[in-house]
Amino acid sequence: MPLSHFDERSGIVSVDTPWGRWWQTVSEVLIEVNIPEGTPGKQCKVSISPNHIECRVLDKTIFKGDTYKTVHPEESTWTVEERKKIVILLEKAEKFENQNHWVGLLKDDYLANPLQQNEMLKKLDLEKFQMEHPGFDFSGAELSKTYDNHPVLPDP
């Protein structure tokens, strides 16, 4: 799945998982799931509901659980790319609200550590600035802001 123009220029802040990684933008959560090379799409299944997701490959559950926040399943998609990874795009229900960032992919799993959370929040703020001021390029900007009012989870 191609990165957005902003992500392409500024990079992403991703959370590594045993099966791949996830990251977020202001409006989406993106997930990459590594699968055995050559796996046909018909052997992959992703179920998305407003508050739950399940990913299965070759009849094995890769992950499943309640999403960290609500998504729009009808606007969310998934594809198998090059028969070696599944790319899932979850459309956030709370796109432009102040606290729309996700601390984890699932409510209790695949959580960002405090440093990742801070970097994600900076990235989301820069993306919001870019959307509010399309004539300026914020992709290389640095924020020195401190984020005190978000849930910081301890390292596992």
Side-chain angles (χ1 to χ4, degrees), residues 19 33-37 39-46 54-63 78 80 85-86:
W19 40 259
V33 181
N34 300 318
I35 60 176
E37 195 160 338
T39 302
K42 64 184 177 184
Q43 295 294 319
C44 304
K45 182 173 192 245
V46 177
E54 180 175 3
C55 178
R56 296 180 57 79
V57 177
L58 303 169
D59 292 326
K60 178 183 172 201
T61 300
I62 305 301
F63 66 87
W78 66 276
V80 176
K85 73 178 166 183
I86 300 172

mmCIF file with all atom_site columns, all heavy atoms in Angstrom, residues 19 33-37 39-46 54-63 78 80 85-86:
data_model
loop_
_atom_site.group_PDB
_atom_site.id
_atom_site.type_symbol
_atom_site.label_atom_id
_atom_site.label_alt_id
_atom_site.label_comp_id
_atom_site.label_asym_id
_atom_site.label_entity_id
_atom_site.label_seq_id
_atom_site.pdbx_PDB_ins_code
_atom_site.Cartn_x
_atom_site.Cartn_y
_atom_site.Cartn_z
_atom_site.occupancy
_atom_site.B_iso_or_equiv
_atom_site.pdbx_formal_charge
_atom_site.auth_seq_id
_atom_site.auth_comp_id
_atom_site.auth_asym_id
_atom_site.auth_atom_id
_atom_site.pdbx_PDB_model_num
ATOM 1   N N   . TRP A 1 19 ? 4.165   -10.357 14.180 1.00 0.00 ? 19 TRP A N   1
ATOM 2   C CA  . TRP A 1 19 ? 3.702   -10.709 12.837 1.00 0.00 ? 19 TRP A CA  1
ATOM 3   C C   . TRP A 1 19 ? 3.898   -9.601  11.799 1.00 0.00 ? 19 TRP A C   1
ATOM 4   O O   . TRP A 1 19 ? 3.606   -9.787  10.626 1.00 0.00 ? 19 TRP A O   1
ATOM 5   C CB  . TRP A 1 19 ? 2.227   -11.115 12.873 1.00 0.00 ? 19 TRP A CB  1
ATOM 6   C CG  . TRP A 1 19 ? 1.401   -10.256 13.785 1.00 0.00 ? 19 TRP A CG  1
ATOM 7   C CD1 . TRP A 1 19 ? 0.991   -10.581 15.054 1.00 0.00 ? 19 TRP A CD1 1
ATOM 8   C CD2 . TRP A 1 19 ? 0.909   -8.935  13.541 1.00 0.00 ? 19 TRP A CD2 1
ATOM 9   N NE1 . TRP A 1 19 ? 0.280   -9.539  15.608 1.00 0.00 ? 19 TRP A NE1 1
ATOM 10  C CE2 . TRP A 1 19 ? 0.212   -8.515  14.690 1.00 0.00 ? 19 TRP A CE2 1
ATOM 11  C CE3 . TRP A 1 19 ? 0.996   -8.057  12.472 1.00 0.00 ? 19 TRP A CE3 1
ATOM 12  C CZ2 . TRP A 1 19 ? -0.399  -7.272  14.791 1.00 0.00 ? 19 TRP A CZ2 1
ATOM 13  C CZ3 . TRP A 1 19 ? 0.391   -6.812  12.574 1.00 0.00 ? 19 TRP A CZ3 1
ATOM 14  C CH2 . TRP A 1 19 ? -0.300  -6.439  13.730 1.00 0.00 ? 19 TRP A CH2 1
ATOM 15  N N   . VAL A 1 33 ? 0.923   -7.243  7.779  1.00 0.00 ? 33 VAL A N   1
ATOM 16  C CA  . VAL A 1 33 ? 1.052   -8.574  8.351  1.00 0.00 ? 33 VAL A CA  1
ATOM 17  C C   . VAL A 1 33 ? 1.923   -9.405  7.408  1.00 0.00 ? 33 VAL A C   1
ATOM 18  O O   . VAL A 1 33 ? 1.557   -9.602  6.238  1.00 0.00 ? 33 VAL A O   1
ATOM 19  C CB  . VAL A 1 33 ? -0.333  -9.249  8.509  1.00 0.00 ? 33 VAL A CB  1
ATOM 20  C CG1 . VAL A 1 33 ? -0.178  -10.633 9.120  1.00 0.00 ? 33 VAL A CG1 1
ATOM 21  C CG2 . VAL A 1 33 ? -1.264  -8.381  9.351  1.00 0.00 ? 33 VAL A CG2 1
ATOM 22  N N   . ASN A 1 34 ? 3.063   -9.866  7.887  1.00 0.00 ? 34 ASN A N   1
ATOM 23  C CA  . ASN A 1 34 ? 3.922   -10.732 7.081  1.00 0.00 ? 34 ASN A CA  1
ATOM 24  C C   . ASN A 1 34 ? 3.299   -12.120 7.019  1.00 0.00 ? 34 ASN A C   1
ATOM 25  O O   . ASN A 1 34 ? 2.887   -12.662 8.046  1.00 0.00 ? 34 ASN A O   1
ATOM 26  C CB  . ASN A 1 34 ? 5.316   -10.808 7.686  1.00 0.00 ? 34 ASN A CB  1
ATOM 27  C CG  . ASN A 1 34 ? 5.973   -9.447  7.750  1.00 0.00 ? 34 ASN A CG  1
ATOM 28  O OD1 . ASN A 1 34 ? 5.880   -8.654  6.823  1.00 0.00 ? 34 ASN A OD1 1
ATOM 29  N ND2 . ASN A 1 34 ? 6.629   -9.161  8.860  1.00 0.00 ? 34 ASN A ND2 1
ATOM 30  N N   . ILE A 1 35 ? 3.228   -12.677 5.811  1.00 0.00 ? 35 ILE A N   1
ATOM 31  C CA  . ILE A 1 35 ? 2.671   -14.013 5.633  1.00 0.00 ? 35 ILE A CA  1
ATOM 32  C C   . ILE A 1 35 ? 3.677   -14.861 4.853  1.00 0.00 ? 35 ILE A C   1
ATOM 33  O O   . ILE A 1 35 ? 4.579   -14.309 4.215  1.00 0.00 ? 35 ILE A O   1
ATOM 34  C CB  . ILE A 1 35 ? 1.299   -13.964 4.915  1.00 0.00 ? 35 ILE A CB  1
ATOM 35  C CG1 . ILE A 1 35 ? 1.416   -13.325 3.525  1.00 0.00 ? 35 ILE A CG1 1
ATOM 36  C CG2 . ILE A 1 35 ? 0.281   -13.228 5.775  1.00 0.00 ? 35 ILE A CG2 1
ATOM 37  C CD1 . ILE A 1 35 ? 0.123   -13.326 2.710  1.00 0.00 ? 35 ILE A CD1 1
ATOM 38  N N   . PRO A 1 36 ? 3.553   -16.180 4.906  1.00 0.00 ? 36 PRO A N   1
ATOM 39  C CA  . PRO A 1 36 ? 4.490   -17.014 4.146  1.00 0.00 ? 36 PRO A CA  1
ATOM 40  C C   . PRO A 1 36 ? 4.463   -16.647 2.658  1.00 0.00 ? 36 PRO A C   1
ATOM 41  O O   . PRO A 1 36 ? 3.392   -16.489 2.071  1.00 0.00 ? 36 PRO A O   1
ATOM 42  C CB  . PRO A 1 36 ? 3.971   -18.436 4.376  1.00 0.00 ? 36 PRO A CB  1
ATOM 43  C CG  . PRO A 1 36 ? 3.203   -18.364 5.663  1.00 0.00 ? 36 PRO A CG  1
ATOM 44  C CD  . PRO A 1 36 ? 2.604   -16.988 5.691  1.00 0.00 ? 36 PRO A CD  1
ATOM 45  N N   . GLU A 1 37 ? 5.641   -16.473 2.092  1.00 0.00 ? 37 GLU A N   1
ATOM 46  C CA  . GLU A 1 37 ? 5.735   -16.078 0.691  1.00 0.00 ? 37 GLU A CA  1
ATOM 47  C C   . GLU A 1 37 ? 4.999   -17.081 -0.192 1.00 0.00 ? 37 GLU A C   1
ATOM 48  O O   . GLU A 1 37 ? 5.105   -18.288 0.002  1.00 0.00 ? 37 GLU A O   1
ATOM 49  C CB  . GLU A 1 37 ? 7.199   -15.958 0.263  1.00 0.00 ? 37 GLU A CB  1
ATOM 50  C CG  . GLU A 1 37 ? 7.327   -15.212 -1.035 1.00 0.00 ? 37 GLU A CG  1
ATOM 51  C CD  . GLU A 1 37 ? 8.717   -14.641 -1.260 1.00 0.00 ? 37 GLU A CD  1
ATOM 52  O OE1 . GLU A 1 37 ? 9.456   -14.461 -0.266 1.00 0.00 ? 37 GLU A OE1 1
ATOM 53  O OE2 . GLU A 1 37 ? 9.036   -14.376 -2.414 1.00 0.00 ? 37 GLU A OE2 1
ATOM 54  N N   . THR A 1 39 ? 1.667   -17.189 -0.409 1.00 0.00 ? 39 THR A N   1
ATOM 55  C CA  . THR A 1 39 ? 0.325   -17.450 0.121  1.00 0.00 ? 39 THR A CA  1
ATOM 56  C C   . THR A 1 39 ? -0.725  -16.780 -0.768 1.00 0.00 ? 39 THR A C   1
ATOM 57  O O   . THR A 1 39 ? -0.673  -15.570 -0.975 1.00 0.00 ? 39 THR A O   1
ATOM 58  C CB  . THR A 1 39 ? 0.180   -16.909 1.565  1.00 0.00 ? 39 THR A CB  1
ATOM 59  O OG1 . THR A 1 39 ? 1.171   -17.510 2.387  1.00 0.00 ? 39 THR A OG1 1
ATOM 60  C CG2 . THR A 1 39 ? -1.203  -17.196 2.129  1.00 0.00 ? 39 THR A CG2 1
ATOM 61  N N   . PRO A 1 40 ? -1.674  -17.544 -1.301 1.00 0.00 ? 40 PRO A N   1
ATOM 62  C CA  . PRO A 1 40 ? -2.721  -16.929 -2.123 1.00 0.00 ? 40 PRO A CA  1
ATOM 63  C C   . PRO A 1 40 ? -3.711  -16.154 -1.263 1.00 0.00 ? 40 PRO A C   1
ATOM 64  O O   . PRO A 1 40 ? -3.945  -16.488 -0.097 1.00 0.00 ? 40 PRO A O   1
ATOM 65  C CB  . PRO A 1 40 ? -3.398  -18.126 -2.799 1.00 0.00 ? 40 PRO A CB  1
ATOM 66  C CG  . PRO A 1 40 ? -3.070  -19.306 -1.952 1.00 0.00 ? 40 PRO A CG  1
ATOM 67  C CD  . PRO A 1 40 ? -1.786  -18.991 -1.245 1.00 0.00 ? 40 PRO A CD  1
ATOM 68  N N   . GLY A 1 41 ? -4.288  -15.118 -1.846 1.00 0.00 ? 41 GLY A N   1
ATOM 69  C CA  . GLY A 1 41 ? -5.241  -14.279 -1.131 1.00 0.00 ? 41 GLY A CA  1
ATOM 70  C C   . GLY A 1 41 ? -6.415  -15.048 -0.578 1.00 0.00 ? 41 GLY A C   1
ATOM 71  O O   . GLY A 1 41 ? -6.944  -14.705 0.479  1.00 0.00 ? 41 GLY A O   1
ATOM 72  N N   . LYS A 1 42 ? -6.832  -16.121 -1.275 1.00 0.00 ? 42 LYS A N   1
ATOM 73  C CA  . LYS A 1 42 ? -7.990  -16.885 -0.797 1.00 0.00 ? 42 LYS A CA  1
ATOM 74  C C   . LYS A 1 42 ? -7.697  -17.632 0.500  1.00 0.00 ? 42 LYS A C   1
ATOM 75  O O   . LYS A 1 42 ? -8.613  -18.110 1.163  1.00 0.00 ? 42 LYS A O   1
ATOM 76  C CB  . LYS A 1 42 ? -8.495  -17.831 -1.882 1.00 0.00 ? 42 LYS A CB  1
ATOM 77  C CG  . LYS A 1 42 ? -7.518  -18.905 -2.272 1.00 0.00 ? 42 LYS A CG  1
ATOM 78  C CD  . LYS A 1 42 ? -8.073  -19.731 -3.422 1.00 0.00 ? 42 LYS A CD  1
ATOM 79  C CE  . LYS A 1 42 ? -7.027  -20.755 -3.852 1.00 0.00 ? 42 LYS A CE  1
ATOM 80  N NZ  . LYS A 1 42 ? -7.468  -21.495 -5.007 1.00 0.00 ? 42 LYS A NZ  1
ATOM 81  N N   . GLN A 1 43 ? -6.422  -17.704 0.889  1.00 0.00 ? 43 GLN A N   1
ATOM 82  C CA  . GLN A 1 43 ? -6.043  -18.335 2.152  1.00 0.00 ? 43 GLN A CA  1
ATOM 83  C C   . GLN A 1 43 ? -5.946  -17.325 3.301  1.00 0.00 ? 43 GLN A C   1
ATOM 84  O O   . GLN A 1 43 ? -5.531  -17.665 4.400  1.00 0.00 ? 43 GLN A O   1
ATOM 85  C CB  . GLN A 1 43 ? -4.711  -19.072 2.004  1.00 0.00 ? 43 GLN A CB  1
ATOM 86  C CG  . GLN A 1 43 ? -4.769  -20.238 1.056  1.00 0.00 ? 43 GLN A CG  1
ATOM 87  C CD  . GLN A 1 43 ? -5.678  -21.344 1.586  1.00 0.00 ? 43 GLN A CD  1
ATOM 88  O OE1 . GLN A 1 43 ? -5.677  -21.652 2.769  1.00 0.00 ? 43 GLN A OE1 1
ATOM 89  N NE2 . GLN A 1 43 ? -6.459  -21.927 0.700  1.00 0.00 ? 43 GLN A NE2 1
ATOM 90  N N   . CYS A 1 44 ? -6.295  -16.073 3.014  1.00 0.00 ? 44 CYS A N   1
ATOM 91  C CA  . CYS A 1 44 ? -6.237  -14.994 4.012  1.00 0.00 ? 44 CYS A CA  1
ATOM 92  C C   . CYS A 1 44 ? -7.642  -14.472 4.255  1.00 0.00 ? 44 CYS A C   1
ATOM 93  O O   . CYS A 1 44 ? -8.445  -14.359 3.338  1.00 0.00 ? 44 CYS A O   1
ATOM 94  C CB  . CYS A 1 44 ? -5.356  -13.858 3.506  1.00 0.00 ? 44 CYS A CB  1
ATOM 95  S SG  . CYS A 1 44 ? -3.684  -14.366 3.069  1.00 0.00 ? 44 CYS A SG  1
ATOM 96  N N   . LYS A 1 45 ? -7.915  -14.137 5.502  1.00 0.00 ? 45 LYS A N   1
ATOM 97  C CA  . LYS A 1 45 ? -9.228  -13.591 5.838  1.00 0.00 ? 45 LYS A CA  1
ATOM 98  C C   . LYS A 1 45 ? -9.055  -12.528 6.914  1.00 0.00 ? 45 LYS A C   1
ATOM 99  O O   . LYS A 1 45 ? -8.414  -12.766 7.931  1.00 0.00 ? 45 LYS A O   1
ATOM 100 C CB  . LYS A 1 45 ? -10.161 -14.686 6.341  1.00 0.00 ? 45 LYS A CB  1
ATOM 101 C CG  . LYS A 1 45 ? -11.547 -14.165 6.642  1.00 0.00 ? 45 LYS A CG  1
ATOM 102 C CD  . LYS A 1 45 ? -12.508 -15.281 6.965  1.00 0.00 ? 45 LYS A CD  1
ATOM 103 C CE  . LYS A 1 45 ? -13.864 -14.747 6.973  1.00 0.00 ? 45 LYS A CE  1
ATOM 104 N NZ  . LYS A 1 45 ? -14.721 -14.614 7.891  1.00 0.00 ? 45 LYS A NZ  1
ATOM 105 N N   . VAL A 1 46 ? -9.622  -11.362 6.659  1.00 0.00 ? 46 VAL A N   1
ATOM 106 C CA  . VAL A 1 46 ? -9.617  -10.282 7.637  1.00 0.00 ? 46 VAL A CA  1
ATOM 107 C C   . VAL A 1 46 ? -11.061 -9.864  7.858  1.00 0.00 ? 46 VAL A C   1
ATOM 108 O O   . VAL A 1 46 ? -11.773 -9.550  6.900  1.00 0.00 ? 46 VAL A O   1
ATOM 109 C CB  . VAL A 1 46 ? -8.775  -9.080  7.157  1.00 0.00 ? 46 VAL A CB  1
ATOM 110 C CG1 . VAL A 1 46 ? -8.846  -7.939  8.166  1.00 0.00 ? 46 VAL A CG1 1
ATOM 111 C CG2 . VAL A 1 46 ? -7.324  -9.496  6.917  1.00 0.00 ? 46 VAL A CG2 1
ATOM 112 N N   . GLU A 1 54 ? -10.146 -9.326  13.221 1.00 0.00 ? 54 GLU A N   1
ATOM 113 C CA  . GLU A 1 54 ? -9.517  -10.634 13.259 1.00 0.00 ? 54 GLU A CA  1
ATOM 114 C C   . GLU A 1 54 ? -8.806  -10.856 11.934 1.00 0.00 ? 54 GLU A C   1
ATOM 115 O O   . GLU A 1 54 ? -9.352  -10.569 10.872 1.00 0.00 ? 54 GLU A O   1
ATOM 116 C CB  . GLU A 1 54 ? -10.539 -11.750 13.463 1.00 0.00 ? 54 GLU A CB  1
ATOM 117 C CG  . GLU A 1 54 ? -9.909  -13.128 13.500 1.00 0.00 ? 54 GLU A CG  1
ATOM 118 C CD  . GLU A 1 54 ? -10.888 -14.246 13.832 1.00 0.00 ? 54 GLU A CD  1
ATOM 119 O OE1 . GLU A 1 54 ? -12.088 -13.988 13.996 1.00 0.00 ? 54 GLU A OE1 1
ATOM 120 O OE2 . GLU A 1 54 ? -10.415 -15.395 13.921 1.00 0.00 ? 54 GLU A OE2 1
ATOM 121 N N   . CYS A 1 55 ? -7.567  -11.355 12.013 1.00 0.00 ? 55 CYS A N   1
ATOM 122 C CA  . CYS A 1 55 ? -6.769  -11.657 10.835 1.00 0.00 ? 55 CYS A CA  1
ATOM 123 C C   . CYS A 1 55 ? -6.369  -13.127 10.906 1.00 0.00 ? 55 CYS A C   1
ATOM 124 O O   . CYS A 1 55 ? -5.762  -13.560 11.885 1.00 0.00 ? 55 CYS A O   1
ATOM 125 C CB  . CYS A 1 55 ? -5.522  -10.764 10.789 1.00 0.00 ? 55 CYS A CB  1
ATOM 126 S SG  . CYS A 1 55 ? -4.433  -11.108 9.392  1.00 0.00 ? 55 CYS A SG  1
ATOM 127 N N   . ARG A 1 56 ? -6.745  -13.890 9.845  1.00 0.00 ? 56 ARG A N   1
ATOM 128 C CA  . ARG A 1 56 ? -6.432  -15.318 9.780  1.00 0.00 ? 56 ARG A CA  1
ATOM 129 C C   . ARG A 1 56 ? -5.687  -15.611 8.484  1.00 0.00 ? 56 ARG A C   1
ATOM 130 O O   . ARG A 1 56 ? -6.023  -15.074 7.440  1.00 0.00 ? 56 ARG A O   1
ATOM 131 C CB  . ARG A 1 56 ? -7.710  -16.152 9.837  1.00 0.00 ? 56 ARG A CB  1
ATOM 132 C CG  . ARG A 1 56 ? -8.464  -16.014 11.156 1.00 0.00 ? 56 ARG A CG  1
ATOM 133 C CD  . ARG A 1 56 ? -9.735  -16.846 11.186 1.00 0.00 ? 56 ARG A CD  1
ATOM 134 N NE  . ARG A 1 56 ? -9.527  -18.256 10.942 1.00 0.00 ? 56 ARG A NE  1
ATOM 135 C CZ  . ARG A 1 56 ? -9.086  -19.154 11.831 1.00 0.00 ? 56 ARG A CZ  1
ATOM 136 N NH1 . ARG A 1 56 ? -8.803  -18.762 13.057 1.00 0.00 ? 56 ARG A NH1 1
ATOM 137 N NH2 . ARG A 1 56 ? -8.929  -20.414 11.506 1.00 0.00 ? 56 ARG A NH2 1
ATOM 138 N N   . VAL A 1 57 ? -4.683  -16.471 8.578  1.00 0.00 ? 57 VAL A N   1
ATOM 139 C CA  . VAL A 1 57 ? -3.923  -16.901 7.415  1.00 0.00 ? 57 VAL A CA  1
ATOM 140 C C   . VAL A 1 57 ? -3.759  -18.412 7.503  1.00 0.00 ? 57 VAL A C   1
ATOM 141 O O   . VAL A 1 57 ? -3.334  -18.930 8.543  1.00 0.00 ? 57 VAL A O   1
ATOM 142 C CB  . VAL A 1 57 ? -2.542  -16.213 7.364  1.00 0.00 ? 57 VAL A CB  1
ATOM 143 C CG1 . VAL A 1 57 ? -1.724  -16.726 6.190  1.00 0.00 ? 57 VAL A CG1 1
ATOM 144 C CG2 . VAL A 1 57 ? -2.695  -14.697 7.290  1.00 0.00 ? 57 VAL A CG2 1
ATOM 145 N N   . LEU A 1 58 ? -4.113  -19.103 6.420  1.00 0.00 ? 58 LEU A N   1
ATOM 146 C CA  . LEU A 1 58 ? -3.994  -20.557 6.376  1.00 0.00 ? 58 LEU A CA  1
ATOM 147 C C   . LEU A 1 58 ? -4.685  -21.195 7.583  1.00 0.00 ? 58 LEU A C   1
ATOM 148 O O   . LEU A 1 58 ? -4.135  -22.070 8.245  1.00 0.00 ? 58 LEU A O   1
ATOM 149 C CB  . LEU A 1 58 ? -2.521  -20.978 6.291  1.00 0.00 ? 58 LEU A CB  1
ATOM 150 C CG  . LEU A 1 58 ? -1.734  -20.417 5.108  1.00 0.00 ? 58 LEU A CG  1
ATOM 151 C CD1 . LEU A 1 58 ? -0.247  -20.676 5.275  1.00 0.00 ? 58 LEU A CD1 1
ATOM 152 C CD2 . LEU A 1 58 ? -2.242  -21.020 3.802  1.00 0.00 ? 58 LEU A CD2 1
ATOM 153 N N   . ASP A 1 59 ? -5.897  -20.716 7.895  1.00 0.00 ? 59 ASP A N   1
ATOM 154 C CA  . ASP A 1 59 ? -6.721  -21.213 9.009  1.00 0.00 ? 59 ASP A CA  1
ATOM 155 C C   . ASP A 1 59 ? -6.088  -21.024 10.382 1.00 0.00 ? 59 ASP A C   1
ATOM 156 O O   . ASP A 1 59 ? -6.464  -21.680 11.345 1.00 0.00 ? 59 ASP A O   1
ATOM 157 C CB  . ASP A 1 59 ? -7.107  -22.686 8.801  1.00 0.00 ? 59 ASP A CB  1
ATOM 158 C CG  . ASP A 1 59 ? -8.069  -22.850 7.639  1.00 0.00 ? 59 ASP A CG  1
ATOM 159 O OD1 . ASP A 1 59 ? -8.901  -21.941 7.429  1.00 0.00 ? 59 ASP A OD1 1
ATOM 160 O OD2 . ASP A 1 59 ? -7.985  -23.883 6.939  1.00 0.00 ? 59 ASP A OD2 1
ATOM 161 N N   . LYS A 1 60 ? -5.103  -20.133 10.490 1.00 0.00 ? 60 LYS A N   1
ATOM 162 C CA  . LYS A 1 60 ? -4.471  -19.831 11.778 1.00 0.00 ? 60 LYS A CA  1
ATOM 163 C C   . LYS A 1 60 ? -4.739  -18.367 12.121 1.00 0.00 ? 60 LYS A C   1
ATOM 164 O O   . LYS A 1 60 ? -4.563  -17.481 11.275 1.00 0.00 ? 60 LYS A O   1
ATOM 165 C CB  . LYS A 1 60 ? -2.967  -20.084 11.690 1.00 0.00 ? 60 LYS A CB  1
ATOM 166 C CG  . LYS A 1 60 ? -2.217  -19.764 12.962 1.00 0.00 ? 60 LYS A CG  1
ATOM 167 C CD  . LYS A 1 60 ? -0.722  -19.968 12.782 1.00 0.00 ? 60 LYS A CD  1
ATOM 168 C CE  . LYS A 1 60 ? -0.002  -19.448 14.014 1.00 0.00 ? 60 LYS A CE  1
ATOM 169 N NZ  . LYS A 1 60 ? 1.386   -19.147 13.778 1.00 0.00 ? 60 LYS A NZ  1
ATOM 170 N N   . THR A 1 61 ? -5.168  -18.107 13.344 1.00 0.00 ? 61 THR A N   1
ATOM 171 C CA  . THR A 1 61 ? -5.402  -16.735 13.769 1.00 0.00 ? 61 THR A CA  1
ATOM 172 C C   . THR A 1 61 ? -4.068  -16.047 14.023 1.00 0.00 ? 61 THR A C   1
ATOM 173 O O   . THR A 1 61 ? -3.268  -16.517 14.839 1.00 0.00 ? 61 THR A O   1
ATOM 174 C CB  . THR A 1 61 ? -6.272  -16.689 15.039 1.00 0.00 ? 61 THR A CB  1
ATOM 175 O OG1 . THR A 1 61 ? -7.528  -17.309 14.752 1.00 0.00 ? 61 THR A OG1 1
ATOM 176 C CG2 . THR A 1 61 ? -6.495  -15.258 15.504 1.00 0.00 ? 61 THR A CG2 1
ATOM 177 N N   . ILE A 1 62 ? -3.832  -14.943 13.319 1.00 0.00 ? 62 ILE A N   1
ATOM 178 C CA  . ILE A 1 62 ? -2.613  -14.158 13.506 1.00 0.00 ? 62 ILE A CA  1
ATOM 179 C C   . ILE A 1 62 ? -2.808  -13.197 14.670 1.00 0.00 ? 62 ILE A C   1
ATOM 180 O O   . ILE A 1 62 ? -1.970  -13.087 15.545 1.00 0.00 ? 62 ILE A O   1
ATOM 181 C CB  . ILE A 1 62 ? -2.245  -13.387 12.222 1.00 0.00 ? 62 ILE A CB  1
ATOM 182 C CG1 . ILE A 1 62 ? -2.138  -14.333 11.019 1.00 0.00 ? 62 ILE A CG1 1
ATOM 183 C CG2 . ILE A 1 62 ? -0.974  -12.576 12.420 1.00 0.00 ? 62 ILE A CG2 1
ATOM 184 C CD1 . ILE A 1 62 ? -1.109  -15.424 11.169 1.00 0.00 ? 62 ILE A CD1 1
ATOM 185 N N   . PHE A 1 63 ? -3.928  -12.485 14.668 1.00 0.00 ? 63 PHE A N   1
ATOM 186 C CA  . PHE A 1 63 ? -4.322  -11.654 15.800 1.00 0.00 ? 63 PHE A CA  1
ATOM 187 C C   . PHE A 1 63 ? -5.820  -11.432 15.736 1.00 0.00 ? 63 PHE A C   1
ATOM 188 O O   . PHE A 1 63 ? -6.436  -11.516 14.673 1.00 0.00 ? 63 PHE A O   1
ATOM 189 C CB  . PHE A 1 63 ? -3.560  -10.312 15.840 1.00 0.00 ? 63 PHE A CB  1
ATOM 190 C CG  . PHE A 1 63 ? -3.869  -9.381  14.692 1.00 0.00 ? 63 PHE A CG  1
ATOM 191 C CD1 . PHE A 1 63 ? -4.937  -8.490  14.753 1.00 0.00 ? 63 PHE A CD1 1
ATOM 192 C CD2 . PHE A 1 63 ? -3.081  -9.367  13.557 1.00 0.00 ? 63 PHE A CD2 1
ATOM 193 C CE1 . PHE A 1 63 ? -5.214  -7.635  13.705 1.00 0.00 ? 63 PHE A CE1 1
ATOM 194 C CE2 . PHE A 1 63 ? -3.337  -8.518  12.500 1.00 0.00 ? 63 PHE A CE2 1
ATOM 195 C CZ  . PHE A 1 63 ? -4.420  -7.644  12.574 1.00 0.00 ? 63 PHE A CZ  1
ATOM 196 N N   . TRP A 1 78 ? -8.586  -4.268  3.035  1.00 0.00 ? 78 TRP A N   1
ATOM 197 C CA  . TRP A 1 78 ? -7.377  -5.063  3.180  1.00 0.00 ? 78 TRP A CA  1
ATOM 198 C C   . TRP A 1 78 ? -7.047  -5.701  1.840  1.00 0.00 ? 78 TRP A C   1
ATOM 199 O O   . TRP A 1 78 ? -7.929  -5.952  1.029  1.00 0.00 ? 78 TRP A O   1
ATOM 200 C CB  . TRP A 1 78 ? -7.499  -6.086  4.296  1.00 0.00 ? 78 TRP A CB  1
ATOM 201 C CG  . TRP A 1 78 ? -8.509  -7.172  4.072  1.00 0.00 ? 78 TRP A CG  1
ATOM 202 C CD1 . TRP A 1 78 ? -9.850  -7.109  4.321  1.00 0.00 ? 78 TRP A CD1 1
ATOM 203 C CD2 . TRP A 1 78 ? -8.262  -8.482  3.555  1.00 0.00 ? 78 TRP A CD2 1
ATOM 204 N NE1 . TRP A 1 78 ? -10.447 -8.289  4.000  1.00 0.00 ? 78 TRP A NE1 1
ATOM 205 C CE2 . TRP A 1 78 ? -9.492  -9.162  3.523  1.00 0.00 ? 78 TRP A CE2 1
ATOM 206 C CE3 . TRP A 1 78 ? -7.117  -9.147  3.123  1.00 0.00 ? 78 TRP A CE3 1
ATOM 207 C CZ2 . TRP A 1 78 ? -9.616  -10.470 3.078  1.00 0.00 ? 78 TRP A CZ2 1
ATOM 208 C CZ3 . TRP A 1 78 ? -7.239  -10.452 2.673  1.00 0.00 ? 78 TRP A CZ3 1
ATOM 209 C CH2 . TRP A 1 78 ? -8.474  -11.097 2.658  1.00 0.00 ? 78 TRP A CH2 1
ATOM 210 N N   . VAL A 1 80 ? -3.868  -8.393  -0.177 1.00 0.00 ? 80 VAL A N   1
ATOM 211 C CA  . VAL A 1 80 ? -2.665  -9.221  -0.105 1.00 0.00 ? 80 VAL A CA  1
ATOM 212 C C   . VAL A 1 80 ? -1.717  -8.673  -1.167 1.00 0.00 ? 80 VAL A C   1
ATOM 213 O O   . VAL A 1 80 ? -2.104  -8.555  -2.329 1.00 0.00 ? 80 VAL A O   1
ATOM 214 C CB  . VAL A 1 80 ? -2.969  -10.708 -0.359 1.00 0.00 ? 80 VAL A CB  1
ATOM 215 C CG1 . VAL A 1 80 ? -1.683  -11.526 -0.383 1.00 0.00 ? 80 VAL A CG1 1
ATOM 216 C CG2 . VAL A 1 80 ? -3.923  -11.238 0.702  1.00 0.00 ? 80 VAL A CG2 1
ATOM 217 N N   . LYS A 1 85 ? 2.488   -10.320 2.043  1.00 0.00 ? 85 LYS A N   1
ATOM 218 C CA  . LYS A 1 85 ? 2.023   -9.537  3.188  1.00 0.00 ? 85 LYS A CA  1
ATOM 219 C C   . LYS A 1 85 ? 0.588   -9.093  2.976  1.00 0.00 ? 85 LYS A C   1
ATOM 220 O O   . LYS A 1 85 ? 0.129   -8.905  1.846  1.00 0.00 ? 85 LYS A O   1
ATOM 221 C CB  . LYS A 1 85 ? 2.931   -8.348  3.474  1.00 0.00 ? 85 LYS A CB  1
ATOM 222 C CG  . LYS A 1 85 ? 2.849   -7.207  2.504  1.00 0.00 ? 85 LYS A CG  1
ATOM 223 C CD  . LYS A 1 85 ? 3.771   -6.087  2.956  1.00 0.00 ? 85 LYS A CD  1
ATOM 224 C CE  . LYS A 1 85 ? 3.965   -5.087  1.827  1.00 0.00 ? 85 LYS A CE  1
ATOM 225 N NZ  . LYS A 1 85 ? 4.893   -4.045  2.170  1.00 0.00 ? 85 LYS A NZ  1
ATOM 226 N N   . ILE A 1 86 ? -0.106  -8.962  4.086  1.00 0.00 ? 86 ILE A N   1
ATOM 227 C CA  . ILE A 1 86 ? -1.458  -8.412  4.088  1.00 0.00 ? 86 ILE A CA  1
ATOM 228 C C   . ILE A 1 86 ? -1.329  -6.972  4.551  1.00 0.00 ? 86 ILE A C   1
ATOM 229 O O   . ILE A 1 86 ? -0.636  -6.688  5.538  1.00 0.00 ? 86 ILE A O   1
ATOM 230 C CB  . ILE A 1 86 ? -2.389  -9.181  5.053  1.00 0.00 ? 86 ILE A CB  1
ATOM 231 C CG1 . ILE A 1 86 ? -2.490  -10.648 4.647  1.00 0.00 ? 86 ILE A CG1 1
ATOM 232 C CG2 . ILE A 1 86 ? -3.768  -8.526  5.099  1.00 0.00 ? 86 ILE A CG2 1
ATOM 233 C CD1 . ILE A 1 86 ? -3.241  -11.508 5.657  1.00 0.00 ? 86 ILE A CD1 1
#
